[in-house]
Amino acid sequence: MGAQDGPTLINSVQRAMRLLEVVSAHVNGAPAKQLARESDLPLATTYHLLRTLVHDGYVRKLDDGGFILGDKLQTLQSMGRAQALLSRVRPTLAALRDELAAAAYLTFYEDGEIRVAEIVDGPGTPRVDLWVGFEDAGHATALGKSVLRELDEQARQDYLSRHHLADLTPRTITSRPELLRRLEAPPLAPAITDMEEYALGTVCVAVPVYSGDVIGSLGVSLPSHRLSRLPEVRERLLPTASRVTRTLSLTT
């Protein structure tokens, strides 16, 4: 058994990553020759790697010929932080799923859209079939309506002006005045419900959460025959949402 029995490593990937590390050390940029010297790479290899990295957005070439990290790496860094953040709250969502025997969901309002950040389900607690994206179904889901209820009036009107209130089921609210009226006075406030408005046979309950200044919602989905459990679900969601908000706030 020798070294050849170890993991297969791709040398070109290792060289590219080493080059990125060197580029990251120069906030104001550095020319290819300096980067080649500091990364201990042949100049021709450095040029080839830089050309590829610039093309794919991982490195940006400045007007003076220097190279700095590109926008795509900034995006990856941001996504990495988001993944680390979600990993801290996932056990709480899993505990909620197990306690209520229901799939648990977490959403956030980002860049003017309501997006699903995490779903924790299981064989006995399947998620609802997301046949229409949440970006286009905020009016028909408890998670979306919870976010809309927390938005200020200007942000809410902006969202509604950009999204058609599509008729997803016979129970979907498609009248803006009626939707706003129900947002103002939900029976289980501060929880809000979706009574088969997104998918027939499924009811949902959601409550607000926050990640710093970012509004979100925490909710669960249940078969409609478990409708009588909604008050109990609300009572479990509220402390869990407070725990999630506290966790997210401490790590942002």
Side-chain angles (χ1 to χ4, degrees):
M1 303 290 285
Q4 67 271 19
D5 298 309
T8 301
L9 303 179
I10 308 301
N11 291 333
S12 58
V13 174
Q14 290 182 309
R15 288 192 290 267
M17 299 306 294
R18 185 160 71 249
L19 182 58
L20 284 173
E21 290 174 354
V22 173
V23 172
S24 70
H26 298 277
V27 178
N28 298 316
K33 289 183 179 180
Q34 181 179 352
L35 295 173
R37 184 171 62 253
E38 294 181 7
S39 57
D40 196 27
L41 293 172
L43 183 57
T45 299
T46 301
Y47 275 122
H48 286 308
L49 290 173
L50 286 172
R51 189 177 302 115
T52 301
L53 293 168
V54 168
H55 177 271
D56 289 345
Y58 294 104
V59 169
R60 182 158 63 92
K61 186 175 183 179
L62 302 174
D63 292 339
D64 64 5
F67 294 88
I68 61 173
L69 294 180
D71 293 338
K72 187 169 286 188
L73 273 181
Q74 308 280 349
T75 300
L76 288 177
Q77 185 179 34
S78 176
M79 292 173 65
R81 284 196 297 266
Q83 289 177 343
L85 199 59
L86 289 174
S87 70
R88 296 176 183 269
V89 300
R90 195 170 290 117
T92 302
L93 269 63
L96 181 68
R97 173 203 60 195
D98 295 342
E99 181 178 359
L100 296 177
Y105 308 77
L106 183 66
T107 72
F108 291 111
Y109 186 68
E110 299 172 317
D111 301 322
E113 300 295 343
I114 301 168
R115 297 194 173 105
V116 178
E118 186 64 282
I119 301 176
V120 178
D121 58 359
T125 55
R127 68 185 66 186
V128 66
D129 178 16
L130 303 179
W131 68 286
V132 175
F134 268 57
E135 292 90 342
D136 299 314
H139 66 293
T141 65
L143 292 154
K145 288 190 287 183
S146 179
V147 170
L148 290 175
R149 185 171 187 266
E150 294 300 303
L151 292 176
D152 61 43
E153 183 175 354
Q154 181 178 353
R156 187 188 302 147
Q157 292 297 339
D158 172 70
Y159 176 89
L160 293 175
S161 70
R162 294 182 288 104
H163 295 81
H164 173 62
L165 304 186
D167 186 6
L168 304 184
T169 79
R171 296 178 179 270
T172 307
I173 302 169
T174 57
S175 163
R176 185 182 298 187
E178 177 64 12
L179 176 64
L180 293 174
R181 186 185 70 78
R182 296 200 191 186
L183 290 178
E184 290 301 321
L188 296 178
I192 200 160
T193 59
D194 149 22
M195 309 297 277
E196 299 186 90
E197 297 159 45
Y198 178 79
L200 292 176
T202 300
V203 296
C204 302
V205 190
V207 295
V209 295
Y210 286 85
S211 177
D213 295 330
V214 178
I215 298 171
S217 59
L218 170 70
V220 296
S221 62
L222 303 160
S224 55
H225 65 77
R226 297 174 64 190
L227 185 63
S228 62
R229 290 195 61 195
L230 292 191
E232 173 195 346
V233 170
R234 172 192 182 276
E235 293 309 308
R236 293 309 312 141
L237 275 175
L238 291 173
T240 303
S242 295
R243 193 153 56 247
V244 169
T245 292
R246 187 163 56 251
T247 301
L248 294 174
S249 297
L250 289 173
T251 51
T252 52

